[in-house]
Amino acid sequence: MWCELLQVNFFDEYQMEGLSPEANEICLEVAPENISRALKTAQNAKAVKVKLTKKHCPCLTLSAELPSLSSISRVVTHDIPVEVIPRRLWHEFKEPTVPDFDVSIYLPPLKTMKNVVDRMKNLSNILVLEANLGGEMNLKIETDLVSVTTHFKDLGNPPWGDSASQSRSQSWDPEAMAHARVDVRKLQQFLIGQQINPSKAMCNIVHNRIVHLILLQEDMSLQYFIPAVA
Amino acid sequence: MDCVATGGNVKVLAKAVHSLSRIGEDLYLEPLDDGLTLRTVNSSRSAFACFLLSPLFFQKFHVSHGRGFRCKMPIKSVQAVFRSLSSLERTVEKCHIELNSEKSRLTFTLHCKHGLLKTHNLSFQDCESLQAVFDKERCANVLQAQPRLLVDTVLHFPPSLEEVKASVTADRLLLKNHVENDADQAKAMRTELCLSSEEFLHFSVSAPTSITFCLKELRVSDGVLVFAESTDLPVSMHFDEPGSPVVLSVTDSVLEANFVLATLSEDSHCNHDNGHKKRPRTPPPADDFMCDDMDSYLIAMETSEMAGPSSRTEPRSSSEREQEEEQRPHSKKFCSFFFGSVLPTSSQTANQTLQNQDVLASDSEDEQ
């Protein structure tokens, strides 16, 4: 999963000094549940400050000023241990390129999709996600006893314009369904996590290879890649 | 014994039982002239809770004099009587608790609407009197707050959190999670919450101090906090120096609830000048110092008569061991509040204790 947040839309103050002026980046590894928990407790905060500090080990120190019963705010501070990733490994953490997809389609309402996938998960481990350039998408599962298909129509296909990634989709038969078999739990994980209402949600399918889900909001982008299974 | 609780007090009684059930497995019930006491202690003897319901709490409260009756029973059976708090409120008009001494049964009868009677006959065991030795009034530090404040505070800490360190100065309460295991040091997330004294209803600190205690009983249970919140009564916290138990209590005109938790003691602070009141226990050999099963975090059991079957499974609880043995702690460990004779500890090599406590030592030295 790849997610980008434009700092200017989130932070009033933002100061950062990367490794060097040429490599003005910092790469950290952190346990997501720690950050998640820290942020949860700061939900009602008046202000939150995040700093990279060195305590017993490098930490992301998150301090939140919370509303209190008195004039003096409550302050909660979380020291989240992080590991600094050395420069030589940065290449492993670059934004994945948009794969050369066959079909690109807008997703149906995520909530609807989640309901469908939740139920399908009970029946099968593998789900087939397929779509065509006519705005149609199907979610299918097939077992010995039963096969279930949910059809979505008139979803629309995003116009990517002329670019290298279009080469495959340009030669793709618009009526044909590009499909990929994916682990239903992975798809479910993506859908469960959606707390935001993205302004754009789309799905690129490389036939039999990858499902690439993209959520866009004005200040944030999120990409999720699910490899196809045999 | 024969008593009747009516109306809203039935629900309070039920909540008290549920609250106690979070801490221990047995409910010790003893009617006194002061009222009905319901007590329990956890298996590691590091948490004790006691509810005293005064005679005024009841519509009728009759205690036969003579040899004081007391008993213990599995708390689950009492909980079964008071299942489903919401329906209790709607349907139960009165709860009658009566001792049937011939049959050795304690009968709980719920008088419900439409003339419905639900009778539970619970068998009980005779037992020693379970009493932790603590004195709230003599504690140097007392804080009192609306339960909401404490509930909100506890939310900031991870559900898995065991120990928390509370530090007070004249105008602040600082709560930190306590990380003791070396292996966890690097990975553990540390959380610290600072509350100003102004948020409390009462904040009286005699000298800045820090105590470390186990949060689990407060929240896995939510025993005292949920009870207080539901009854909307302020919670007070009484504590002294490290090693002395911390007492959380909720009081109103007809009931008093005390939750007593052991705190981590420090070498130098472990004073025994309270005579028989405080006996530190050296922890039995174990790798995980902070694991709940460990007796290191302990309340000494000082029981007046130790009946064989009623004592817990530890071999130490045998009655001949009532003498207090002077076991000086080699270093830090949890001193606890005591119920009685200090159970003599199995011998613990100095090396082992020191090893365990080294871990603690580094933590406490870091704090200001």
Side-chain angles (χ1 to χ4, degrees), chain A residues 34 37 41 56-57 66 68-72 74-79 81, chain B residues 149 152 155-156 158 185-196 198-199:
Chain A
N34 285 344
R37 191 155 46 75
T41 72
H56 52 285
C57 66
L66 301 166
S68 81
L69 300 171
S70 75
S71 53
I72 306 179
R74 276 177 221 175
V75 178
V76 65
T77 309
H78 298 279
D79 288 320
Chain B
L149 179 68
D152 285 346
L155 282 177
H156 290 284
Q185 290 264 353
K187 304 290 169 65
M189 177 164 145
R190 280 153 197 247
T191 301
E192 195 180 284
L193 177 63
C194 181
L195 297 168
S196 115
E198 293 182 21
E199 298 209 54

PDB file of all heavy atoms in Angstrom, chain A residues 34 37 41 56-57 66 68-72 74-79 81, chain B residues 149 152 155-156 158 185-196 198-199:
ATOM      1  N   ASN A  34       0.899   1.373  16.662  1.00  0.00           N
ATOM      2  CA  ASN A  34       1.305   2.359  17.658  1.00  0.00           C
ATOM      3  C   ASN A  34       0.842   3.756  17.272  1.00  0.00           C
ATOM      4  O   ASN A  34       0.317   4.509  18.089  1.00  0.00           O
ATOM      5  CB  ASN A  34       2.833   2.364  17.821  1.00  0.00           C
ATOM      6  CG  ASN A  34       3.317   1.161  18.609  1.00  0.00           C
ATOM      7  OD1 ASN A  34       2.538   0.499  19.271  1.00  0.00           O
ATOM      8  ND2 ASN A  34       4.602   0.885  18.540  1.00  0.00           N
ATOM      9  N   ARG A  37      -2.910   3.991  17.557  1.00  0.00           N
ATOM     10  CA  ARG A  37      -3.379   4.140  18.916  1.00  0.00           C
ATOM     11  C   ARG A  37      -3.102   5.544  19.436  1.00  0.00           C
ATOM     12  O   ARG A  37      -3.943   6.170  20.070  1.00  0.00           O
ATOM     13  CB  ARG A  37      -2.704   3.104  19.801  1.00  0.00           C
ATOM     14  CG  ARG A  37      -3.329   3.034  21.154  1.00  0.00           C
ATOM     15  CD  ARG A  37      -3.133   1.696  21.798  1.00  0.00           C
ATOM     16  NE  ARG A  37      -1.792   1.180  21.720  1.00  0.00           N
ATOM     17  CZ  ARG A  37      -0.768   1.593  22.437  1.00  0.00           C
ATOM     18  NH1 ARG A  37      -0.942   2.530  23.323  1.00  0.00           N
ATOM     19  NH2 ARG A  37       0.423   1.060  22.285  1.00  0.00           N
ATOM     20  N   THR A  41      -6.019   8.467  20.616  1.00  0.00           N
ATOM     21  CA  THR A  41      -6.182   9.144  21.891  1.00  0.00           C
ATOM     22  C   THR A  41      -6.145  10.644  21.707  1.00  0.00           C
ATOM     23  O   THR A  41      -6.577  11.393  22.566  1.00  0.00           O
ATOM     24  CB  THR A  41      -5.095   8.743  22.909  1.00  0.00           C
ATOM     25  OG1 THR A  41      -3.863   9.328  22.530  1.00  0.00           O
ATOM     26  CG2 THR A  41      -4.956   7.255  22.981  1.00  0.00           C
ATOM     27  N   HIS A  56      15.118   6.554  24.368  1.00  0.00           N
ATOM     28  CA  HIS A  56      15.913   5.343  24.563  1.00  0.00           C
ATOM     29  C   HIS A  56      16.292   4.768  23.208  1.00  0.00           C
ATOM     30  O   HIS A  56      17.170   3.932  23.066  1.00  0.00           O
ATOM     31  CB  HIS A  56      15.150   4.330  25.411  1.00  0.00           C
ATOM     32  CG  HIS A  56      13.770   4.063  24.889  1.00  0.00           C
ATOM     33  ND1 HIS A  56      12.725   4.958  25.039  1.00  0.00           N
ATOM     34  CD2 HIS A  56      13.263   3.025  24.208  1.00  0.00           C
ATOM     35  CE1 HIS A  56      11.654   4.478  24.472  1.00  0.00           C
ATOM     36  NE2 HIS A  56      11.938   3.304  23.961  1.00  0.00           N
ATOM     37  N   CYS A  57      15.581   5.229  22.201  1.00  0.00           N
ATOM     38  CA  CYS A  57      15.876   4.847  20.816  1.00  0.00           C
ATOM     39  C   CYS A  57      15.223   5.933  19.967  1.00  0.00           C
ATOM     40  O   CYS A  57      14.491   6.760  20.513  1.00  0.00           O
ATOM     41  CB  CYS A  57      15.280   3.469  20.517  1.00  0.00           C
ATOM     42  SG  CYS A  57      13.489   3.445  20.558  1.00  0.00           S
ATOM     43  N   LEU A  66      -4.963  18.213  25.057  1.00  0.00           N
ATOM     44  CA  LEU A  66      -6.356  17.797  25.097  1.00  0.00           C
ATOM     45  C   LEU A  66      -7.213  18.759  25.890  1.00  0.00           C
ATOM     46  O   LEU A  66      -6.728  19.384  26.828  1.00  0.00           O
ATOM     47  CB  LEU A  66      -6.444  16.413  25.750  1.00  0.00           C
ATOM     48  CG  LEU A  66      -5.660  15.301  25.072  1.00  0.00           C
ATOM     49  CD1 LEU A  66      -5.550  14.111  26.001  1.00  0.00           C
ATOM     50  CD2 LEU A  66      -6.336  14.895  23.789  1.00  0.00           C
ATOM     51  N   SER A  68      -9.578  19.974  28.743  1.00  0.00           N
ATOM     52  CA  SER A  68      -9.610  19.492  30.113  1.00  0.00           C
ATOM     53  C   SER A  68     -10.680  20.216  30.890  1.00  0.00           C
ATOM     54  O   SER A  68     -11.333  21.120  30.400  1.00  0.00           O
ATOM     55  CB  SER A  68      -8.255  19.706  30.767  1.00  0.00           C
ATOM     56  OG  SER A  68      -8.145  21.034  31.206  1.00  0.00           O
ATOM     57  N   LEU A  69     -10.832  19.776  32.127  1.00  0.00           N
ATOM     58  CA  LEU A  69     -11.849  20.369  32.982  1.00  0.00           C
ATOM     59  C   LEU A  69     -11.409  21.694  33.570  1.00  0.00           C
ATOM     60  O   LEU A  69     -12.166  22.357  34.244  1.00  0.00           O
ATOM     61  CB  LEU A  69     -12.173  19.400  34.138  1.00  0.00           C
ATOM     62  CG  LEU A  69     -12.714  18.029  33.720  1.00  0.00           C
ATOM     63  CD1 LEU A  69     -12.767  17.108  34.923  1.00  0.00           C
ATOM     64  CD2 LEU A  69     -14.100  18.181  33.124  1.00  0.00           C
ATOM     65  N   SER A  70     -10.132  22.009  33.340  1.00  0.00           N
ATOM     66  CA  SER A  70      -9.658  23.251  33.950  1.00  0.00           C
ATOM     67  C   SER A  70      -9.010  24.097  32.864  1.00  0.00           C
ATOM     68  O   SER A  70      -9.022  23.732  31.702  1.00  0.00           O
ATOM     69  CB  SER A  70      -8.646  22.950  35.037  1.00  0.00           C
ATOM     70  OG  SER A  70      -7.420  22.583  34.442  1.00  0.00           O
ATOM     71  N   SER A  71      -8.447  25.195  33.254  1.00  0.00           N
ATOM     72  CA  SER A  71      -7.830  26.063  32.260  1.00  0.00           C
ATOM     73  C   SER A  71      -6.535  25.475  31.733  1.00  0.00           C
ATOM     74  O   SER A  71      -6.083  25.814  30.657  1.00  0.00           O
ATOM     75  CB  SER A  71      -7.564  27.436  32.881  1.00  0.00           C
ATOM     76  OG  SER A  71      -6.829  27.251  34.072  1.00  0.00           O
ATOM     77  N   ILE A  72      -5.957  24.590  32.505  1.00  0.00           N
ATOM     78  CA  ILE A  72      -4.691  23.989  32.065  1.00  0.00           C
ATOM     79  C   ILE A  72      -4.995  22.722  31.276  1.00  0.00           C
ATOM     80  O   ILE A  72      -5.660  21.818  31.767  1.00  0.00           O
ATOM     81  CB  ILE A  72      -3.810  23.638  33.273  1.00  0.00           C
ATOM     82  CG1 ILE A  72      -3.630  24.882  34.140  1.00  0.00           C
ATOM     83  CG2 ILE A  72      -2.470  23.097  32.814  1.00  0.00           C
ATOM     84  CD1 ILE A  72      -2.804  24.643  35.369  1.00  0.00           C
ATOM     85  N   ARG A  74      -4.757  19.162  29.338  1.00  0.00           N
ATOM     86  CA  ARG A  74      -4.111  17.880  29.582  1.00  0.00           C
ATOM     87  C   ARG A  74      -3.160  17.640  28.428  1.00  0.00           C
ATOM     88  O   ARG A  74      -3.499  17.900  27.283  1.00  0.00           O
ATOM     89  CB  ARG A  74      -5.149  16.768  29.508  1.00  0.00           C
ATOM     90  CG  ARG A  74      -5.886  16.546  30.755  1.00  0.00           C
ATOM     91  CD  ARG A  74      -6.919  15.484  30.527  1.00  0.00           C
ATOM     92  NE  ARG A  74      -8.134  15.859  31.180  1.00  0.00           N
ATOM     93  CZ  ARG A  74      -9.267  15.194  31.097  1.00  0.00           C
ATOM     94  NH1 ARG A  74      -9.333  14.136  30.329  1.00  0.00           N
ATOM     95  NH2 ARG A  74     -10.338  15.605  31.742  1.00  0.00           N
ATOM     96  N   VAL A  75      -2.019  17.122  28.756  1.00  0.00           N
ATOM     97  CA  VAL A  75      -1.080  16.817  27.674  1.00  0.00           C
ATOM     98  C   VAL A  75      -0.782  15.326  27.687  1.00  0.00           C
ATOM     99  O   VAL A  75      -0.378  14.781  28.709  1.00  0.00           O
ATOM    100  CB  VAL A  75       0.236  17.596  27.858  1.00  0.00           C
ATOM    101  CG1 VAL A  75       1.204  17.237  26.758  1.00  0.00           C
ATOM    102  CG2 VAL A  75      -0.039  19.087  27.854  1.00  0.00           C
ATOM    103  N   VAL A  76      -1.005  14.697  26.568  1.00  0.00           N
ATOM    104  CA  VAL A  76      -0.622  13.287  26.487  1.00  0.00           C
ATOM    105  C   VAL A  76       0.518  13.179  25.482  1.00  0.00           C
ATOM    106  O   VAL A  76       0.491  13.792  24.421  1.00  0.00           O
ATOM    107  CB  VAL A  76      -1.818  12.391  26.092  1.00  0.00           C
ATOM    108  CG1 VAL A  76      -2.321  12.678  24.703  1.00  0.00           C
ATOM    109  CG2 VAL A  76      -1.456  10.936  26.215  1.00  0.00           C
ATOM    110  N   THR A  77       1.522  12.445  25.887  1.00  0.00           N
ATOM    111  CA  THR A  77       2.700  12.305  25.027  1.00  0.00           C
ATOM    112  C   THR A  77       2.934  10.830  24.753  1.00  0.00           C
ATOM    113  O   THR A  77       2.966  10.022  25.671  1.00  0.00           O
ATOM    114  CB  THR A  77       3.943  12.858  25.755  1.00  0.00           C
ATOM    115  OG1 THR A  77       3.654  14.157  26.229  1.00  0.00           O
ATOM    116  CG2 THR A  77       5.128  12.937  24.807  1.00  0.00           C
ATOM    117  N   HIS A  78       3.101  10.527  23.507  1.00  0.00           N
ATOM    118  CA  HIS A  78       3.400   9.144  23.148  1.00  0.00           C
ATOM    119  C   HIS A  78       4.766   9.104  22.490  1.00  0.00           C
ATOM    120  O   HIS A  78       5.024   9.860  21.553  1.00  0.00           O
ATOM    121  CB  HIS A  78       2.388   8.602  22.147  1.00  0.00           C
ATOM    122  CG  HIS A  78       0.974   8.551  22.663  1.00  0.00           C
ATOM    123  ND1 HIS A  78       0.528   7.535  23.472  1.00  0.00           N
ATOM    124  CD2 HIS A  78      -0.068   9.379  22.493  1.00  0.00           C
ATOM    125  CE1 HIS A  78      -0.751   7.745  23.754  1.00  0.00           C
ATOM    126  NE2 HIS A  78      -1.143   8.850  23.181  1.00  0.00           N
ATOM    127  N   ASP A  79       5.606   8.237  22.976  1.00  0.00           N
ATOM    128  CA  ASP A  79       6.904   8.043  22.323  1.00  0.00           C
ATOM    129  C   ASP A  79       6.820   6.742  21.540  1.00  0.00           C
ATOM    130  O   ASP A  79       6.764   5.667  22.124  1.00  0.00           O
ATOM    131  CB  ASP A  79       8.026   7.934  23.362  1.00  0.00           C
ATOM    132  CG  ASP A  79       8.310   9.270  24.011  1.00  0.00           C
ATOM    133  OD1 ASP A  79       8.290  10.284  23.292  1.00  0.00           O
ATOM    134  OD2 ASP A  79       8.549   9.297  25.220  1.00  0.00           O
ATOM    135  N   PRO A  81       8.512   4.135  19.185  1.00  0.00           N
ATOM    136  CA  PRO A  81       9.843   3.776  18.684  1.00  0.00           C
ATOM    137  C   PRO A  81       9.819   3.595  17.171  1.00  0.00           C
ATOM    138  O   PRO A  81       8.870   3.018  16.627  1.00  0.00           O
ATOM    139  CB  PRO A  81      10.162   2.452  19.377  1.00  0.00           C
ATOM    140  CG  PRO A  81       9.004   2.104  20.200  1.00  0.00           C
ATOM    141  CD  PRO A  81       7.920   3.092  20.001  1.00  0.00           C
TER     142      PRO A  81
ATOM    143  N   LEU B 149     -13.001  11.618  34.679  1.00  0.00           N
ATOM    144  CA  LEU B 149     -11.600  12.014  34.483  1.00  0.00           C
ATOM    145  C   LEU B 149     -10.706  10.785  34.433  1.00  0.00           C
ATOM    146  O   LEU B 149      -9.841  10.649  33.572  1.00  0.00           O
ATOM    147  CB  LEU B 149     -11.150  12.932  35.630  1.00  0.00           C
ATOM    148  CG  LEU B 149      -9.701  13.406  35.579  1.00  0.00           C
ATOM    149  CD1 LEU B 149      -9.503  14.348  34.418  1.00  0.00           C
ATOM    150  CD2 LEU B 149      -9.297  14.089  36.870  1.00  0.00           C
ATOM    151  N   ASP B 152     -11.393   8.613  31.298  1.00  0.00           N
ATOM    152  CA  ASP B 152     -10.756   9.217  30.120  1.00  0.00           C
ATOM    153  C   ASP B 152      -9.262   9.006  30.138  1.00  0.00           C
ATOM    154  O   ASP B 152      -8.641   8.787  29.109  1.00  0.00           O
ATOM    155  CB  ASP B 152     -11.028  10.731  30.080  1.00  0.00           C
ATOM    156  CG  ASP B 152     -12.445  11.028  29.642  1.00  0.00           C
ATOM    157  OD1 ASP B 152     -13.110  10.113  29.128  1.00  0.00           O
ATOM    158  OD2 ASP B 152     -12.892  12.174  29.830  1.00  0.00           O
ATOM    159  N   LEU B 155      -8.115   5.504  29.159  1.00  0.00           N
ATOM    160  CA  LEU B 155      -8.274   5.258  27.722  1.00  0.00           C
ATOM    161  C   LEU B 155      -7.013   5.529  26.912  1.00  0.00           C
ATOM    162  O   LEU B 155      -6.834   4.981  25.837  1.00  0.00           O
ATOM    163  CB  LEU B 155      -9.374   6.159  27.153  1.00  0.00           C
ATOM    164  CG  LEU B 155     -10.798   5.725  27.414  1.00  0.00           C
ATOM    165  CD1 LEU B 155     -11.746   6.761  26.840  1.00  0.00           C
ATOM    166  CD2 LEU B 155     -11.059   4.380  26.786  1.00  0.00           C
ATOM    167  N   HIS B 156      -6.165   6.392  27.419  1.00  0.00           N
ATOM    168  CA  HIS B 156      -4.956   6.730  26.673  1.00  0.00           C
ATOM    169  C   HIS B 156      -3.936   5.622  26.687  1.00  0.00           C
ATOM    170  O   HIS B 156      -2.991   5.623  25.909  1.00  0.00           O
ATOM    171  CB  HIS B 156      -4.330   8.005  27.228  1.00  0.00           C
ATOM    172  CG  HIS B 156      -5.135   9.221  26.943  1.00  0.00           C
ATOM    173  ND1 HIS B 156      -5.152   9.810  25.704  1.00  0.00           N
ATOM    174  CD2 HIS B 156      -5.974   9.937  27.713  1.00  0.00           C
ATOM    175  CE1 HIS B 156      -5.971  10.852  25.738  1.00  0.00           C
ATOM    176  NE2 HIS B 156      -6.472  10.955  26.935  1.00  0.00           N
ATOM    177  N   PRO B 158      -2.666   1.655  26.468  1.00  0.00           N
ATOM    178  CA  PRO B 158      -3.086   0.497  25.691  1.00  0.00           C
ATOM    179  C   PRO B 158      -3.798  -0.530  26.564  1.00  0.00           C
ATOM    180  O   PRO B 158      -3.466  -0.674  27.728  1.00  0.00           O
ATOM    181  CB  PRO B 158      -1.766  -0.079  25.164  1.00  0.00           C
ATOM    182  CG  PRO B 158      -0.706   0.480  26.011  1.00  0.00           C
ATOM    183  CD  PRO B 158      -1.202   1.785  26.539  1.00  0.00           C
ATOM    184  N   GLN B 185      11.996  -2.896  26.151  1.00  0.00           N
ATOM    185  CA  GLN B 185      12.396  -1.493  26.254  1.00  0.00           C
ATOM    186  C   GLN B 185      12.454  -0.810  24.904  1.00  0.00           C
ATOM    187  O   GLN B 185      11.941   0.277  24.712  1.00  0.00           O
ATOM    188  CB  GLN B 185      13.793  -1.395  26.904  1.00  0.00           C
ATOM    189  CG  GLN B 185      13.823  -1.760  28.351  1.00  0.00           C
ATOM    190  CD  GLN B 185      13.720  -0.554  29.260  1.00  0.00           C
ATOM    191  OE1 GLN B 185      13.745   0.580  28.812  1.00  0.00           O
ATOM    192  NE2 GLN B 185      13.594  -0.803  30.543  1.00  0.00           N
ATOM    193  N   ALA B 186      13.137  -1.483  23.983  1.00  0.00           N
ATOM    194  CA  ALA B 186      13.353  -0.836  22.694  1.00  0.00           C
ATOM    195  C   ALA B 186      12.070  -0.683  21.910  1.00  0.00           C
ATOM    196  O   ALA B 186      11.841   0.321  21.271  1.00  0.00           O
ATOM    197  CB  ALA B 186      14.360  -1.639  21.887  1.00  0.00           C
ATOM    198  N   LYS B 187      11.238  -1.695  21.989  1.00  0.00           N
ATOM    199  CA  LYS B 187      10.087  -1.692  21.092  1.00  0.00           C
ATOM    200  C   LYS B 187       8.889  -0.992  21.658  1.00  0.00           C
ATOM    201  O   LYS B 187       7.971  -0.649  20.952  1.00  0.00           O
ATOM    202  CB  LYS B 187       9.672  -3.141  20.785  1.00  0.00           C
ATOM    203  CG  LYS B 187      10.754  -3.982  20.207  1.00  0.00           C
ATOM    204  CD  LYS B 187      11.084  -3.536  18.781  1.00  0.00           C
ATOM    205  CE  LYS B 187      12.343  -4.192  18.283  1.00  0.00           C
ATOM    206  NZ  LYS B 187      12.178  -5.647  18.161  1.00  0.00           N
ATOM    207  N   ALA B 188       8.883  -0.843  22.966  1.00  0.00           N
ATOM    208  CA  ALA B 188       7.627  -0.422  23.571  1.00  0.00           C
ATOM    209  C   ALA B 188       7.332   1.044  23.338  1.00  0.00           C
ATOM    210  O   ALA B 188       8.200   1.900  23.401  1.00  0.00           O
ATOM    211  CB  ALA B 188       7.669  -0.698  25.061  1.00  0.00           C
ATOM    212  N   MET B 189       6.073   1.281  23.099  1.00  0.00           N
ATOM    213  CA  MET B 189       5.627   2.658  22.976  1.00  0.00           C
ATOM    214  C   MET B 189       5.404   3.186  24.374  1.00  0.00           C
ATOM    215  O   MET B 189       4.850   2.498  25.212  1.00  0.00           O
ATOM    216  CB  MET B 189       4.313   2.644  22.216  1.00  0.00           C
ATOM    217  CG  MET B 189       3.681   3.970  22.060  1.00  0.00           C
ATOM    218  SD  MET B 189       2.437   3.842  20.790  1.00  0.00           S
ATOM    219  CE  MET B 189       1.227   4.950  21.413  1.00  0.00           C
ATOM    220  N   ARG B 190       5.851   4.382  24.593  1.00  0.00           N
ATOM    221  CA  ARG B 190       5.655   4.964  25.914  1.00  0.00           C
ATOM    222  C   ARG B 190       4.638   6.083  25.852  1.00  0.00           C
ATOM    223  O   ARG B 190       4.692   6.943  24.981  1.00  0.00           O
ATOM    224  CB  ARG B 190       6.970   5.535  26.424  1.00  0.00           C
ATOM    225  CG  ARG B 190       7.814   4.439  26.976  1.00  0.00           C
ATOM    226  CD  ARG B 190       9.262   4.767  26.877  1.00  0.00           C
ATOM    227  NE  ARG B 190      10.014   3.556  27.041  1.00  0.00           N
ATOM    228  CZ  ARG B 190      10.790   3.310  28.078  1.00  0.00           C
ATOM    229  NH1 ARG B 190      10.897   4.200  29.030  1.00  0.00           N
ATOM    230  NH2 ARG B 190      11.448   2.184  28.138  1.00  0.00           N
ATOM    231  N   THR B 191       3.759   6.049  26.809  1.00  0.00           N
ATOM    232  CA  THR B 191       2.708   7.055  26.844  1.00  0.00           C
ATOM    233  C   THR B 191       2.750   7.767  28.173  1.00  0.00           C
ATOM    234  O   THR B 191       2.954   7.138  29.204  1.00  0.00           O
ATOM    235  CB  THR B 191       1.335   6.379  26.668  1.00  0.00           C
ATOM    236  OG1 THR B 191       1.327   5.697  25.433  1.00  0.00           O
ATOM    237  CG2 THR B 191       0.222   7.391  26.696  1.00  0.00           C
ATOM    238  N   GLU B 192       2.542   9.047  28.124  1.00  0.00           N
ATOM    239  CA  GLU B 192       2.583   9.834  29.338  1.00  0.00           C
ATOM    240  C   GLU B 192       1.447  10.823  29.311  1.00  0.00           C
ATOM    241  O   GLU B 192       1.226  11.500  28.310  1.00  0.00           O
ATOM    242  CB  GLU B 192       3.909  10.593  29.335  1.00  0.00           C
ATOM    243  CG  GLU B 192       4.297  11.175  30.642  1.00  0.00           C
ATOM    244  CD  GLU B 192       5.626  11.896  30.502  1.00  0.00           C
ATOM    245  OE1 GLU B 192       6.658  11.216  30.435  1.00  0.00           O
ATOM    246  OE2 GLU B 192       5.590  13.141  30.437  1.00  0.00           O
ATOM    247  N   LEU B 193       0.725  10.898  30.385  1.00  0.00           N
ATOM    248  CA  LEU B 193      -0.386  11.836  30.434  1.00  0.00           C
ATOM    249  C   LEU B 193      -0.225  12.737  31.634  1.00  0.00           C
ATOM    250  O   LEU B 193       0.055  12.266  32.732  1.00  0.00           O
ATOM    251  CB  LEU B 193      -1.701  11.048  30.542  1.00  0.00           C
ATOM    252  CG  LEU B 193      -2.985  11.850  30.677  1.00  0.00           C
ATOM    253  CD1 LEU B 193      -3.208  12.697  29.456  1.00  0.00           C
ATOM    254  CD2 LEU B 193      -4.163  10.918  30.860  1.00  0.00           C
ATOM    255  N   CYS B 194      -0.382  14.005  31.403  1.00  0.00           N
ATOM    256  CA  CYS B 194      -0.200  14.953  32.488  1.00  0.00           C
ATOM    257  C   CYS B 194      -1.517  15.655  32.808  1.00  0.00           C
ATOM    258  O   CYS B 194      -2.124  16.266  31.930  1.00  0.00           O
ATOM    259  CB  CYS B 194       0.849  15.985  32.053  1.00  0.00           C
ATOM    260  SG  CYS B 194       1.189  17.190  33.310  1.00  0.00           S
ATOM    261  N   LEU B 195      -1.918  15.532  34.056  1.00  0.00           N
ATOM    262  CA  LEU B 195      -3.153  16.187  34.486  1.00  0.00           C
ATOM    263  C   LEU B 195      -2.830  17.256  35.517  1.00  0.00           C
ATOM    264  O   LEU B 195      -2.080  17.000  36.453  1.00  0.00           O
ATOM    265  CB  LEU B 195      -4.099  15.167  35.136  1.00  0.00           C
ATOM    266  CG  LEU B 195      -4.605  14.020  34.259  1.00  0.00           C
ATOM    267  CD1 LEU B 195      -5.274  12.962  35.104  1.00  0.00           C
ATOM    268  CD2 LEU B 195      -5.595  14.549  33.241  1.00  0.00           C
ATOM    269  N   SER B 196      -3.420  18.406  35.357  1.00  0.00           N
ATOM    270  CA  SER B 196      -3.148  19.436  36.350  1.00  0.00           C
ATOM    271  C   SER B 196      -4.054  19.239  37.553  1.00  0.00           C
ATOM    272  O   SER B 196      -5.140  18.683  37.458  1.00  0.00           O
ATOM    273  CB  SER B 196      -3.348  20.817  35.731  1.00  0.00           C
ATOM    274  OG  SER B 196      -4.414  21.476  36.358  1.00  0.00           O
ATOM    275  N   GLU B 198      -5.835  21.150  38.974  1.00  0.00           N
ATOM    276  CA  GLU B 198      -7.112  21.849  38.889  1.00  0.00           C
ATOM    277  C   GLU B 198      -8.239  20.976  38.365  1.00  0.00           C
ATOM    278  O   GLU B 198      -9.403  21.311  38.517  1.00  0.00           O
ATOM    279  CB  GLU B 198      -6.967  23.084  37.991  1.00  0.00           C
ATOM    280  CG  GLU B 198      -6.078  24.138  38.600  1.00  0.00           C
ATOM    281  CD  GLU B 198      -5.983  25.365  37.722  1.00  0.00           C
ATOM    282  OE1 GLU B 198      -6.882  25.554  36.888  1.00  0.00           O
ATOM    283  OE2 GLU B 198      -5.010  26.109  37.887  1.00  0.00           O
ATOM    284  N   GLU B 199      -7.885  19.872  37.742  1.00  0.00           N
ATOM    285  CA  GLU B 199      -8.940  19.010  37.207  1.00  0.00           C
ATOM    286  C   GLU B 199      -9.557  18.132  38.283  1.00  0.00           C
ATOM    287  O   GLU B 199     -10.541  17.452  38.048  1.00  0.00           O
ATOM    288  CB  GLU B 199      -8.370  18.124  36.102  1.00  0.00           C
ATOM    289  CG  GLU B 199      -7.836  18.926  34.933  1.00  0.00           C
ATOM    290  CD  GLU B 199      -7.941  18.157  33.640  1.00  0.00           C
ATOM    291  OE1 GLU B 199      -9.045  17.699  33.318  1.00  0.00           O
ATOM    292  OE2 GLU B 199      -6.903  18.014  32.972  1.00  0.00           O
TER     293      GLU B 199
END
